[in-house]
Amino acid sequence: RGRVNISVYTMCGRCACTRDPEAIQLACAYRRKDKSSVAKPTWLTINGQKYFPSYNISPQTNTPVLISGSHSHVQSFLKSNRSESLASNECSERVLQVMKWGLIPSWHKGNPRSFPTLLNNCRYDGMFEKPSFRNAIAKKQRCVVLVDGFYEWQRKKGGPKNAFYAFFADNSSTEETKEFIENEDMQCSSDISPRLLTLAGYFDIWRPDIPEEELMFTYTMITVDATEAFGQIHHRMPAILDDEE
């Protein structure tokens, strides 16, 4: 993978995603598969899993993730909600869906809150052997976790803990976002949707024992060994995606 340039500033705690749905859609504008035009991904809120922008996003919070529109649950939802037709500038090749941070495996029985292990993160070097991630990996349920930035604590022996905020150093809008705004003749600057920090993840769908209850969509972030620069803060870091990875 190529080098990703991120900046780190002293701050405190967790992740931040402060933009409203429309701004996130703009930031995720992309070129359609047939290269004909630029579109923004469709926004889906399924089963009442709502997103609220925040500077302090913690595990068990609902946040938007970017997924392929080819997944069966996406196709089923769009088919059963035809009255909610897509805008001409939207495309379901890619979908933004609100999911809960902290994966609940699809095979878990009973109340999802009773699952004993917090699966907010999964180590890349061990996730293929873990039963908790087996279904998500087998079904290729990959997702891109979208945040403005993330926080990490630096722990020094015998000293105070310092918190750092990491984000893309070059967070100007992508070329696709700029083109989308120009094509739509939107009366706004592309600066309203600067580049989001894109993190690799997997999602799973928990299905209740009782058919009347609703599905729950959850995800986990993939972590890797820290780069040399980030290793001064922590020995692990999220897997950061760049460009169209």
Side-chain angles (χ1 to χ4, degrees), residues 152-164 231-235:
E152 189 55 78
W153 290 95
Q154 181 187 53
R155 302 172 185 271
K156 289 188 175 182
K157 187 175 181 180
K161 293 188 295 184
N162 294 320
F164 292 82
Q232 300 175 42
I233 301 171
H234 197 275
H235 67 287

PDB file of all heavy atoms in Angstrom, residues 152-164 231-235:
ATOM      1  N   GLU A 152      -6.282   8.722  19.696  1.00  0.00           N
ATOM      2  CA  GLU A 152      -5.497   7.662  20.337  1.00  0.00           C
ATOM      3  C   GLU A 152      -4.703   8.241  21.488  1.00  0.00           C
ATOM      4  O   GLU A 152      -4.221   9.375  21.422  1.00  0.00           O
ATOM      5  CB  GLU A 152      -4.566   6.999  19.322  1.00  0.00           C
ATOM      6  CG  GLU A 152      -3.878   5.750  19.841  1.00  0.00           C
ATOM      7  CD  GLU A 152      -4.876   4.731  20.345  1.00  0.00           C
ATOM      8  OE1 GLU A 152      -5.486   4.043  19.523  1.00  0.00           O
ATOM      9  OE2 GLU A 152      -5.046   4.651  21.591  1.00  0.00           O
ATOM     10  N   TRP A 153      -4.598   7.434  22.541  1.00  0.00           N
ATOM     11  CA  TRP A 153      -3.851   7.858  23.721  1.00  0.00           C
ATOM     12  C   TRP A 153      -2.406   7.388  23.648  1.00  0.00           C
ATOM     13  O   TRP A 153      -2.127   6.243  23.290  1.00  0.00           O
ATOM     14  CB  TRP A 153      -4.484   7.286  24.989  1.00  0.00           C
ATOM     15  CG  TRP A 153      -5.811   7.889  25.337  1.00  0.00           C
ATOM     16  CD1 TRP A 153      -7.044   7.403  25.021  1.00  0.00           C
ATOM     17  CD2 TRP A 153      -6.031   9.098  26.063  1.00  0.00           C
ATOM     18  NE1 TRP A 153      -8.024   8.236  25.492  1.00  0.00           N
ATOM     19  CE2 TRP A 153      -7.433   9.288  26.135  1.00  0.00           C
ATOM     20  CE3 TRP A 153      -5.194  10.041  26.643  1.00  0.00           C
ATOM     21  CZ2 TRP A 153      -8.003  10.373  26.780  1.00  0.00           C
ATOM     22  CZ3 TRP A 153      -5.767  11.123  27.281  1.00  0.00           C
ATOM     23  CH2 TRP A 153      -7.149  11.288  27.353  1.00  0.00           C
ATOM     24  N   GLN A 154      -1.499   8.285  23.991  1.00  0.00           N
ATOM     25  CA  GLN A 154      -0.089   7.920  24.116  1.00  0.00           C
ATOM     26  C   GLN A 154       0.198   7.689  25.595  1.00  0.00           C
ATOM     27  O   GLN A 154      -0.037   8.558  26.431  1.00  0.00           O
ATOM     28  CB  GLN A 154       0.809   9.038  23.592  1.00  0.00           C
ATOM     29  CG  GLN A 154       2.295   8.712  23.664  1.00  0.00           C
ATOM     30  CD  GLN A 154       3.145   9.913  23.286  1.00  0.00           C
ATOM     31  OE1 GLN A 154       2.977  10.993  23.840  1.00  0.00           O
ATOM     32  NE2 GLN A 154       4.057   9.723  22.330  1.00  0.00           N
ATOM     33  N   ARG A 155       0.662   6.497  25.891  1.00  0.00           N
ATOM     34  CA  ARG A 155       0.924   6.136  27.288  1.00  0.00           C
ATOM     35  C   ARG A 155       2.425   6.086  27.524  1.00  0.00           C
ATOM     36  O   ARG A 155       3.139   5.303  26.899  1.00  0.00           O
ATOM     37  CB  ARG A 155       0.297   4.777  27.616  1.00  0.00           C
ATOM     38  CG  ARG A 155      -1.203   4.732  27.369  1.00  0.00           C
ATOM     39  CD  ARG A 155      -1.761   3.328  27.527  1.00  0.00           C
ATOM     40  NE  ARG A 155      -3.172   3.259  27.175  1.00  0.00           N
ATOM     41  CZ  ARG A 155      -4.177   3.468  28.023  1.00  0.00           C
ATOM     42  NH1 ARG A 155      -3.892   3.749  29.288  1.00  0.00           N
ATOM     43  NH2 ARG A 155      -5.423   3.388  27.628  1.00  0.00           N
ATOM     44  N   LYS A 156       2.900   6.926  28.409  1.00  0.00           N
ATOM     45  CA  LYS A 156       4.317   6.935  28.759  1.00  0.00           C
ATOM     46  C   LYS A 156       4.483   6.489  30.201  1.00  0.00           C
ATOM     47  O   LYS A 156       3.781   6.956  31.101  1.00  0.00           O
ATOM     48  CB  LYS A 156       4.903   8.336  28.576  1.00  0.00           C
ATOM     49  CG  LYS A 156       5.034   8.755  27.116  1.00  0.00           C
ATOM     50  CD  LYS A 156       5.791  10.050  26.970  1.00  0.00           C
ATOM     51  CE  LYS A 156       6.016  10.388  25.515  1.00  0.00           C
ATOM     52  NZ  LYS A 156       6.793  11.644  25.337  1.00  0.00           N
ATOM     53  N   LYS A 157       5.408   5.574  30.391  1.00  0.00           N
ATOM     54  CA  LYS A 157       5.621   5.012  31.714  1.00  0.00           C
ATOM     55  C   LYS A 157       5.978   6.108  32.714  1.00  0.00           C
ATOM     56  O   LYS A 157       6.903   6.898  32.509  1.00  0.00           O
ATOM     57  CB  LYS A 157       6.753   3.971  31.656  1.00  0.00           C
ATOM     58  CG  LYS A 157       6.941   3.215  32.959  1.00  0.00           C
ATOM     59  CD  LYS A 157       7.991   2.124  32.791  1.00  0.00           C
ATOM     60  CE  LYS A 157       8.173   1.355  34.088  1.00  0.00           C
ATOM     61  NZ  LYS A 157       9.201   0.271  33.937  1.00  0.00           N
ATOM     62  N   GLY A 158       5.204   6.158  33.782  1.00  0.00           N
ATOM     63  CA  GLY A 158       5.475   7.119  34.844  1.00  0.00           C
ATOM     64  C   GLY A 158       5.027   8.536  34.545  1.00  0.00           C
ATOM     65  O   GLY A 158       5.237   9.440  35.353  1.00  0.00           O
ATOM     66  N   GLY A 159       4.404   8.755  33.379  1.00  0.00           N
ATOM     67  CA  GLY A 159       3.987  10.119  33.023  1.00  0.00           C
ATOM     68  C   GLY A 159       2.512  10.172  32.676  1.00  0.00           C
ATOM     69  O   GLY A 159       1.826   9.142  32.656  1.00  0.00           O
ATOM     70  N   PRO A 160       2.006  11.351  32.398  1.00  0.00           N
ATOM     71  CA  PRO A 160       0.588  11.506  32.052  1.00  0.00           C
ATOM     72  C   PRO A 160       0.296  10.947  30.664  1.00  0.00           C
ATOM     73  O   PRO A 160       1.191  10.834  29.818  1.00  0.00           O
ATOM     74  CB  PRO A 160       0.384  13.021  32.089  1.00  0.00           C
ATOM     75  CG  PRO A 160       1.729  13.573  31.746  1.00  0.00           C
ATOM     76  CD  PRO A 160       2.723  12.639  32.392  1.00  0.00           C
ATOM     77  N   LYS A 161      -0.949  10.590  30.437  1.00  0.00           N
ATOM     78  CA  LYS A 161      -1.375  10.131  29.122  1.00  0.00           C
ATOM     79  C   LYS A 161      -1.712  11.344  28.255  1.00  0.00           C
ATOM     80  O   LYS A 161      -2.376  12.272  28.713  1.00  0.00           O
ATOM     81  CB  LYS A 161      -2.613   9.227  29.242  1.00  0.00           C
ATOM     82  CG  LYS A 161      -2.349   7.904  29.939  1.00  0.00           C
ATOM     83  CD  LYS A 161      -3.562   6.997  29.854  1.00  0.00           C
ATOM     84  CE  LYS A 161      -4.744   7.592  30.623  1.00  0.00           C
ATOM     85  NZ  LYS A 161      -5.902   6.653  30.608  1.00  0.00           N
ATOM     86  N   ASN A 162      -1.235  11.321  27.014  1.00  0.00           N
ATOM     87  CA  ASN A 162      -1.549  12.383  26.067  1.00  0.00           C
ATOM     88  C   ASN A 162      -2.445  11.826  24.974  1.00  0.00           C
ATOM     89  O   ASN A 162      -2.215  10.724  24.475  1.00  0.00           O
ATOM     90  CB  ASN A 162      -0.267  12.950  25.443  1.00  0.00           C
ATOM     91  CG  ASN A 162       0.597  13.657  26.457  1.00  0.00           C
ATOM     92  OD1 ASN A 162       0.096  14.372  27.318  1.00  0.00           O
ATOM     93  ND2 ASN A 162       1.913  13.445  26.367  1.00  0.00           N
ATOM     94  N   ALA A 163      -3.465  12.581  24.599  1.00  0.00           N
ATOM     95  CA  ALA A 163      -4.382  12.147  23.549  1.00  0.00           C
ATOM     96  C   ALA A 163      -4.074  12.882  22.252  1.00  0.00           C
ATOM     97  O   ALA A 163      -3.764  14.067  22.248  1.00  0.00           O
ATOM     98  CB  ALA A 163      -5.820  12.404  23.973  1.00  0.00           C
ATOM     99  N   PHE A 164      -4.141  12.144  21.127  1.00  0.00           N
ATOM    100  CA  PHE A 164      -3.843  12.701  19.816  1.00  0.00           C
ATOM    101  C   PHE A 164      -5.016  12.464  18.869  1.00  0.00           C
ATOM    102  O   PHE A 164      -5.730  11.472  18.979  1.00  0.00           O
ATOM    103  CB  PHE A 164      -2.584  12.049  19.244  1.00  0.00           C
ATOM    104  CG  PHE A 164      -1.332  12.410  19.975  1.00  0.00           C
ATOM    105  CD1 PHE A 164      -0.982  11.751  21.152  1.00  0.00           C
ATOM    106  CD2 PHE A 164      -0.492  13.410  19.502  1.00  0.00           C
ATOM    107  CE1 PHE A 164       0.173  12.089  21.836  1.00  0.00           C
ATOM    108  CE2 PHE A 164       0.667  13.751  20.184  1.00  0.00           C
ATOM    109  CZ  PHE A 164       1.002  13.093  21.350  1.00  0.00           C
ATOM    110  N   GLY A 231       3.778   4.815  15.456  1.00  0.00           N
ATOM    111  CA  GLY A 231       4.237   3.953  16.542  1.00  0.00           C
ATOM    112  C   GLY A 231       4.752   4.721  17.748  1.00  0.00           C
ATOM    113  O   GLY A 231       4.869   4.168  18.842  1.00  0.00           O
ATOM    114  N   GLN A 232       5.049   6.006  17.573  1.00  0.00           N
ATOM    115  CA  GLN A 232       5.467   6.825  18.709  1.00  0.00           C
ATOM    116  C   GLN A 232       4.300   7.101  19.651  1.00  0.00           C
ATOM    117  O   GLN A 232       4.517   7.477  20.802  1.00  0.00           O
ATOM    118  CB  GLN A 232       6.043   8.145  18.191  1.00  0.00           C
ATOM    119  CG  GLN A 232       7.252   7.981  17.280  1.00  0.00           C
ATOM    120  CD  GLN A 232       7.702   9.307  16.692  1.00  0.00           C
ATOM    121  OE1 GLN A 232       7.742  10.318  17.379  1.00  0.00           O
ATOM    122  NE2 GLN A 232       8.052   9.310  15.413  1.00  0.00           N
ATOM    123  N   ILE A 233       3.072   6.901  19.129  1.00  0.00           N
ATOM    124  CA  ILE A 233       1.884   7.134  19.936  1.00  0.00           C
ATOM    125  C   ILE A 233       1.309   5.824  20.453  1.00  0.00           C
ATOM    126  O   ILE A 233       0.989   5.682  21.629  1.00  0.00           O
ATOM    127  CB  ILE A 233       0.805   7.867  19.096  1.00  0.00           C
ATOM    128  CG1 ILE A 233       1.358   9.196  18.589  1.00  0.00           C
ATOM    129  CG2 ILE A 233      -0.469   8.078  19.907  1.00  0.00           C
ATOM    130  CD1 ILE A 233       0.457   9.877  17.584  1.00  0.00           C
ATOM    131  N   HIS A 234       1.179   4.837  19.567  1.00  0.00           N
ATOM    132  CA  HIS A 234       0.584   3.550  19.937  1.00  0.00           C
ATOM    133  C   HIS A 234       1.118   2.481  19.003  1.00  0.00           C
ATOM    134  O   HIS A 234       1.475   2.775  17.852  1.00  0.00           O
ATOM    135  CB  HIS A 234      -0.944   3.635  19.843  1.00  0.00           C
ATOM    136  CG  HIS A 234      -1.668   2.535  20.560  1.00  0.00           C
ATOM    137  ND1 HIS A 234      -1.920   1.316  19.988  1.00  0.00           N
ATOM    138  CD2 HIS A 234      -2.206   2.486  21.814  1.00  0.00           C
ATOM    139  CE1 HIS A 234      -2.580   0.550  20.849  1.00  0.00           C
ATOM    140  NE2 HIS A 234      -2.762   1.238  21.964  1.00  0.00           N
ATOM    141  N   HIS A 235       1.155   1.222  19.463  1.00  0.00           N
ATOM    142  CA  HIS A 235       1.718   0.150  18.641  1.00  0.00           C
ATOM    143  C   HIS A 235       0.725  -0.399  17.618  1.00  0.00           C
ATOM    144  O   HIS A 235       1.085  -1.176  16.742  1.00  0.00           O
ATOM    145  CB  HIS A 235       2.213  -0.996  19.526  1.00  0.00           C
ATOM    146  CG  HIS A 235       1.127  -1.733  20.252  1.00  0.00           C
ATOM    147  ND1 HIS A 235       0.455  -1.194  21.333  1.00  0.00           N
ATOM    148  CD2 HIS A 235       0.591  -2.955  20.036  1.00  0.00           C
ATOM    149  CE1 HIS A 235      -0.450  -2.056  21.765  1.00  0.00           C
ATOM    150  NE2 HIS A 235      -0.385  -3.124  20.994  1.00  0.00           N
TER     151      HIS A 235
END
